[in-house]
Amino acid sequence: MSAHFQGKAYEQWFRDLRITDAPLTRRGLVEALDFFHQRMPGLDRRTMLAFLRGMDLHRPVKRVLLQPNSEIAAFRRSTESPFKLFYTKVGANLHSLGVNPHDRRFQRFRVRALVEVLESYAAPVVDTWSELLPVGVYRHYTARGGGIQYVIPGSYDCLLVAV
């Protein structure tokens, strides 16, 4: 079992996530934390917690290998880089990815090198980060979940924007 679960350290994660410790949620939490620590070692606890809240830990969380020449997708705003952390399957419904759909456009990517990613289902969340608003002004959007999402660190090195 992961080093994050030495003693009773896991209890704090479950308290912070406000979910019940059960075999499936524990497996998902362990898998995600191990992935973060191995593939994203500089990630702070607060950011990990935010990412975990965007995952439905009541459904499977696992590492998968994306094969070269396979295609994946993302929904990006026109003002942001296409190479970020979160991606999905081609054909996924934007409204099931736990984000505000405002000003997001479909972008297809081709996998150029074998890459291990973290696969989970998006959780329903209140998105406060998507819209660029003046400092101190927040617009909350209640986003549905249920869609497959991939976390791909260093995506620039393993993906190409497909045209």
Side-chain angles (χ1 to χ4, degrees):
M1 180 139 312
S2 169
H4 316 290
F5 289 93
Q6 298 289 334
K8 294 190 176 199
Y10 67 91
E11 291 176 354
Q12 187 62 47
W13 285 103
F14 286 110
R15 275 194 299 274
D16 291 346
L17 291 167
R18 295 182 178 103
I19 61 172
T20 306
D21 181 4
L24 182 60
T25 57
R26 187 181 290 212
R27 275 194 305 274
L29 182 60
V30 168
E31 191 68 40
L33 290 173
D34 281 346
F35 183 86
F36 294 156
H37 283 278
Q38 291 171 12
R39 298 288 314 280
M40 305 164 75
L43 205 59
D44 60 80
R45 189 179 195 287
R46 182 177 174 196
T47 304
M48 282 188 250
L49 199 53
F51 289 170
L52 289 165
R53 285 186 177 127
M55 296 178 189
D56 183 350
L57 294 176
H58 295 94
R59 297 180 74 179
V61 176
K62 61 187 177 183
R63 294 173 192 231
V64 296
L65 291 173
L66 297 182
Q67 300 297 318
N69 295 315
S70 60
E71 290 189 340
I72 61 172
F75 293 90
R76 301 286 188 242
R77 291 189 310 262
S78 58
T79 58
E80 64 187 5
S81 168
F83 297 101
K84 296 184 75 180
L85 276 174
F86 288 90
Y87 297 82
T88 191
K89 291 185 173 193
V90 172
N93 182 338
L94 169 60
H95 297 281
S96 69
L97 297 175
V99 296
N100 184 337
H102 178 72
D103 193 36
R104 291 188 183 268
R105 291 174 177 75
F106 175 82
Q107 179 67 64
R108 186 182 301 261
F109 297 85
R110 177 161 280 117
V111 178
R112 64 181 185 171
L114 184 70
V115 61
E116 182 182 60
V117 305
L118 186 66
E119 178 185 274
S120 65
Y121 290 85
V125 296
V126 176
D127 177 340
T128 60
W129 61 87
S130 285
E131 288 196 59
L132 300 175
L133 299 169
V135 175
V137 176
Y138 298 96
R139 183 172 298 148
H140 297 85
Y141 177 85
T142 302
R144 292 186 323 212
I148 292 283
Q149 60 186 3
Y150 300 123
V151 176
I152 308 178
S155 60
Y156 184 81
D157 295 328
C158 60
L159 300 178
L160 292 171
V161 173
V163 287

